[in-house]
Amino acid sequence: MNILAIESSCDETSAAVLVNGHILSNVIATQLIHEQYGGVVPELASRAHQQHILPVVERALADANLPKNELSAIAFTRGPGLLGSLLVGTSFAKSLALGLNIPLIEVNHMQAHVLAHFIETPKPTFPFLCLTVSGGHTQIVRVDGPLDMTVMGQTVDDAVGEAFDKSAKLVGLPYPGGPLIDKYAKEGNPLAFKFPMSDVPNLDFSFSGIKTAVMYFLRDNTKSNPAFITQNLADICASIQYTLIQMLLTKLKRAVRETGIHEIAIAGGVSANSGLRTTLTQIGNEQGWNVYIPRFEYCTDNAAMIAMAASFKYEQGDFTAQTVSPLPRMSM
């Protein structure tokens, strides 16, 4: 089972090679052009994918020391994601699979984030709960098998990654601001300032309110002290991060109570946040959970997770026709 996987859902072009369940290469090209615009520009992302995809795939095959004529299948991200970006990866994968006369495997990007936990040991046992947190999604997922997942709760507006980035922009930090909030939060007091925590029904989330609260908080305090943000940047970042993490973990605790499942994982770009990783580990120790946190390399968008998800579909003979097209709003 030699699978070449391609990931192009947003602003990272990635290719990985999996051989018999083991990742031999995982190459990622990040697009820096979006920083000057304060966010991902879809058209620019599509153009960058076109520039990067061939050299990234060639590098992945070379790193794995695997010639393309020995591939068993081509896997690709069908969705969710930006339509133009998905089109580049989908079209490339379809063409390569057709040229090599080998199967094509479509992968759901969010399912792949969950299955990134099976790239390395230790691996969670089924069933487990996975908190998937990224710039576009926030979900609590019950995982009963590699291809058997149920979304128990999700955001009704902004994703938590958006809340980090938008709050960072309000305090004057450049894009992407989430990692910078994490950086400054390490030096601040998480209880210095109090922000409201939304409480929507069931296991769903809402993060639009904290963005508004931060905006008014900064407006009111900078009126009386124009240097307020500069003087209190670490404490502001720590307080924002603390609030967002508490909102996530409050719902996760509820999901544990409702299901009785104590195998807990996190996935997605925001799972790289050091505050979230540390707090989840602490709560896991207190509650008797088995907590699984992926390496940073497998938190952000990458093709290794696409390859791992595809390996489960390959084993079941779950292949895709050449008529396939991207699904920007693909559901889990």
Side-chain angles (χ1 to χ4, degrees):
M1 181 171 58
N2 303 332
I3 297 176
L4 170 68
I6 295 167
E7 155 61 21
S8 67
S9 63
C10 191
D11 63 336
E12 266 109 10
T13 313
S14 182
V17 172
L18 175 144
V19 174
N20 295 328
H22 300 285
I23 299 296
L24 299 190
S25 64
N26 184 38
V27 180
I28 304 171
T30 300
Q31 303 173 8
L32 302 178
I33 190 171
H34 305 288
E35 293 179 2
Q36 60 187 296
Y37 298 102
V40 176
V41 181
E43 175 61 24
L44 295 179
S46 303
R47 293 178 186 180
H49 282 304
Q50 289 178 311
Q51 295 170 347
H52 292 160
I53 193 163
L54 185 56
V56 164
V57 167
E58 289 179 337
R59 173 69 182 277
L61 289 170
D63 287 354
N65 194 27
L66 186 74
K68 62 179 181 292
N69 59 5
E70 292 185 13
L71 290 170
S72 309
I74 308 296
F76 67 99
T77 302
R78 187 182 182 190
L82 301 175
L83 177 57
S85 296
L86 292 168
L87 271 170
V88 176
T90 301
S91 301
F92 188 93
K94 289 168 64 175
S95 301
L96 187 56
L98 184 64
L100 295 174
N101 193 29
I102 56 178
L104 192 62
I105 304 174
E106 67 176 66
V107 173
N108 182 300
H109 181 81
M110 297 311 295
Q111 287 184 344
H113 268 305
V114 175
L115 296 174
H117 286 280
F118 293 87
I119 296 174
E120 297 177 325
T121 54
K123 303 174 183 179
T125 57
F126 301 110
F128 66 91
L129 298 178
C130 188
L131 177 66
T132 56
V133 281
S134 67
H137 296 83
T138 304
Q139 301 173 329
I140 296 177
V141 182
R142 176 178 174 134
V143 187
D144 290 294
L147 303 175
D148 184 8
M149 303 184 193
T150 305
V151 177
M152 300 182 63
Q154 59 189 333
T155 182
V156 298
D157 41 56
D158 288 351
V160 68
E162 290 178 90
F164 270 109
D165 286 339
K166 289 177 179 178
S167 297
K169 187 174 182 178
L170 290 170
V171 299
L173 297 176
Y175 177 86
L180 292 174
I181 283 189
D182 188 20
K183 174 184 175 182
Y184 288 111
K186 294 175 183 177
E187 304 167 5
N189 175 10
L191 302 179
F193 306 108
K194 187 173 182 179
F195 296 107
M197 298 188 190
S198 63
D199 184 19
V200 293
N202 304 316
L203 295 173
D204 289 334
F205 301 90
S206 172
F207 296 102
S208 61
I210 187 171
K211 175 192 66 177
T212 305
V214 170
M215 179 179 67
Y216 287 126
F217 168 80
L218 296 175
R219 182 200 65 181
D220 294 344
N221 282 279
T222 52
K223 277 183 181 178
S224 56
N225 178 11
F228 176 78
I229 295 176
T230 304
Q231 294 172 355
N232 298 277
L233 182 59
D235 285 346
I236 295 170
C237 289
S239 299
I240 292 171
Q241 178 165 287
Y242 172 82
T243 304
L244 292 171
I245 290 173
Q246 291 303 310
M247 290 166 67
L248 290 171
L249 297 184
T250 296
K251 294 288 186 164
L252 183 58
K253 288 179 184 177
R254 180 172 175 177
V256 171
R257 290 195 302 269
E258 291 185 4
T259 62
I261 296 172
H262 289 77
E263 295 279 302
I264 308 298
I266 55 171
V270 180
S271 65
N273 179 279
S274 64
L276 176 58
R277 295 165 81 94
T278 300
T279 306
L280 179 60
T281 300
Q282 291 174 343
I283 292 177
N285 291 334
E286 296 169 359
Q287 301 288 331
W289 301 348
N290 295 321
V291 174
Y292 302 89
I293 301 175
R295 270 203 292 146
F296 289 108
E297 178 183 358
Y298 301 128
C299 291
T300 53
D301 293 347
N302 67 90
M305 68 183 193
I306 305 300
M308 182 55 61
S311 70
F312 292 109
K313 303 188 82 169
Y314 184 92
E315 291 171 349
Q316 295 188 9
D318 187 358
F319 302 128
T320 304
Q322 279 285 336
T323 54
V324 68
S325 59
L327 284 178
R329 296 185 179 275
M330 189 176 188
S331 61
M332 187 175 285

